[in-house]
Structures are given as structure tokens and as C-alpha cells.
């Protein structure tokens, strides 16, 4: 269909079979093979130090421990005051020896517990005796602290009050130092070793003393001559 006034230049062909060649699209050349991207290693996570320190909780824990130890010392001094004095004297006079004996008592208790494991009840009794000796040594040293404190301030308190106050003061100081990270545990550990060793030395010394006592036979008076 030709519009009026249109101008056509060139050749006009009315042929339904005419075909328009489609241009050939050239193939895209293969690009240079790039090496695979290496996997990026994961950065190791550095754990941040956990400074989870609760001063109020630590203060209440230290105060509670001191009160419990003081109450236990006041109870023991009512029944075992001579034994506590002996243990405290041993710990004060020979702290290095007592600490060494206490340190040796730990593996000795473990070995003896392994030997007695067949008896079932033997290790349980041994563990109870170990912790009882450890606790008795600490309260004995605390009672000695109370005695020296009362003498220093010129007071004359009753034995239960003296032992309770001295033990409270000692445990409060030691547990307060134990709150220090990394090295704080060393002070209560050394105190426990000295107390434990003092108990062991006192028990063995009393045993040897009793064993060495020889009963003395009174001299036999001569019979009067028969009349």
C-alpha cells in the first residue's frame, strides 16, 4: 500500500518469496581461564577474658564462711580446748614442718584411699577424717589468733568468745585475700596445709608419748620380821 505523495527511490519488487538474510552472530571467544579464588581462612576467635566479678556476692560469701568457721570454733573449744591448744602450739612453733607434713598428707590420703577402696566404707571414712583434720587445724590456729589478740588489747574474754573471734578474723582475712585472681587461692591453701600438718604431728606425738610411758612399779616394802 502506497500512500499518496510518497517518493520511492530504488527498485520496487513485489515477490512474496524474497528472503532477507539474517546476519550471523559471531561466537564469543572463550576467555582466559582464571584460577579459582582461594578460600579465605576463618580468623580464629580470641576469647575475651571473662571478668565476671561480683563484689557484693564475694563479700557475702567471705562473711558467711567466716561466721560458719567462728561458730564451729566456739563449739569445739567447749569440748576439745586442750587438743586445740596443742595443735595451735605445733603450728606456731614449726609452721614449715607442719606445712610439709600437710602437703605429704594429701598424696598419702589418696594412696591409702585406693588401698581401702575394696572395703567401700574405708575411703569415705578417710575423706571425712581428712577434712575434719583440715578444719580442726584451721580453727585451732584461729583460736590462737584470738588468744594473742585478747592479750594484745588487754582483754580477758571467755574461751568460746576468744576462739570464735580469732577464727572469724583469720578466715575473714584469708578468704578476703582468696578473692584476688590467679594467686589468691595460695593463702588459704597454705593455711590449710599448716593446720592439717599440725594435727597430724600432734596426733603422732601424743601416740609416741603414750607408747613411751612405762608404768612405774612401787617398791615392795620388806615384811616385818616374824615375832
Amino acid at each position: 500500500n502506497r500512500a499518496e505523495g510518497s517518493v520511492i527511490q530504488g527498485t520496487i519488487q513485489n515477490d512474496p518469496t524474497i528472503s532477507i538474510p539474517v546476519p550471523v552472530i559471531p561466537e564469543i571467544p572463550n576467555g582466559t581461564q582464571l584460577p579459582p579464588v582461594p578460600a579465605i581462612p576463618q580468623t580464629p576467635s580470641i576469647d575475651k577474658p571473662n571478668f565476671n566479678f561480683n563484689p557484693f556476692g564475694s563479700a557475702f560469701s567471705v562473711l558467711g564462711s567466716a561466721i560458719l568457721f567462728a561458730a564451729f570454733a566456739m563449739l569445739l573449744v567447749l569440748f576439745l580446748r586442750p587438743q586445740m591448744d596443742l595443735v595451735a602450739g605445733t603450728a606456731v612453733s614449726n609452721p614449715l614442718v607442719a606445712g610439709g607434713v600437710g602437703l605429704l598428707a594429701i598424696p598419702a590420703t589418696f594412696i591409702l584411699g585406693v588401698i581401702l577402696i575394696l572395703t567401700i566404707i574405708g575411703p569415705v571414712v578417710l575423706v571425712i577424717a581428712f577434712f575434719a583434720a583440715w578444719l580442726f587445724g584451721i580453727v585451732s590456729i584461729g583460736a590462737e589468733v584470738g588468744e594473742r589478740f585478747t592479750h594484745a588489747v588487754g582483754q580477758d574474754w571467755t574461751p568460746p568468745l576468744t576462739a570464735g573471734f580469732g577464727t572469724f578474723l583469720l578466715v575473714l582475712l584469708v578468704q578476703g585475700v582468696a578473692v584476688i585472681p590467679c594467686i589468691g587461692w595460695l593463702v588459704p591453701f597454705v593455711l590449710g596445709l599448716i593446720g592439717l600438718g599440725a594435727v597430724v604431728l600432734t596426733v603422732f606425738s601424743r601416740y609416741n608419748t603414750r607408747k613411751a610411758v612405762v608404768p612405774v612399779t612401787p617398791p615392795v616394802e620388806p615384811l616385818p620380821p616374824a615375832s
Side-chain angles (χ1 to χ4, degrees):
N1 299 322
R2 182 177 178 180
E4 296 181 356
S6 61
V7 178
I8 298 175
Q9 296 179 357
T11 306
I12 298 175
Q13 295 182 1
N14 291 324
D15 187 357
T17 60
I18 188 174
S19 60
I20 301 174
V22 179
V24 179
I25 301 176
E27 296 180 359
I28 300 175
N30 295 329
T32 306
Q33 296 292 333
L34 298 177
V37 179
I40 300 176
Q42 295 182 354
T43 305
S45 60
I46 301 176
D47 295 334
K48 297 181 179 180
N50 185 14
F51 296 101
N52 187 13
F53 177 69
N54 185 3
F56 295 102
S58 300
F60 279 111
S61 177
V62 170
L63 185 61
S65 300
I67 293 175
L68 289 177
F69 274 83
F72 189 71
M74 295 176 68
L75 180 63
L76 282 183
V77 79
L78 295 175
F79 305 98
L80 301 173
R81 184 180 179 184
Q83 290 80 359
M84 293 176 66
D85 292 339
L86 290 175
V87 171
T90 303
V92 173
S93 60
N94 297 308
L96 295 179
V97 176
V101 172
L103 185 62
L104 293 176
I106 297 177
T109 304
F110 177 77
I111 295 173
L112 187 59
V114 173
I115 296 174
L116 297 177
I117 199 170
L118 296 177
T119 63
I120 300 177
I121 196 173
V124 177
V125 175
L126 188 64
V127 170
I128 294 175
F130 177 86
F131 283 103
W134 171 79
L135 183 60
F136 190 83
I138 292 178
V139 297
S140 299
I141 298 175
E144 180 67 19
V145 172
E147 289 285 346
R148 298 197 176 199
F149 179 83
T150 53
H151 291 165
V153 297
Q155 297 293 327
D156 187 14
W157 295 348
T158 60
L161 184 59
T162 302
F165 179 78
T167 304
F168 175 83
L169 192 63
L170 177 65
V171 175
L172 187 67
L173 178 62
V174 171
Q175 292 296 329
V177 176
V179 177
I180 301 175
C182 299
I183 61 174
W185 62 271
L186 191 60
V187 175
F189 180 72
V190 172
L191 178 65
L193 290 182
I194 295 175
L196 177 62
V199 172
V200 175
L201 289 175
T202 302
V203 171
F204 276 99
S205 64
R206 288 176 63 86
Y207 175 76
N208 293 332
T209 302
R210 291 179 180 179
K211 191 175 181 180
V213 172
V214 178
V216 178
T217 305
V220 180
E221 296 181 359
L223 296 175
S227 58

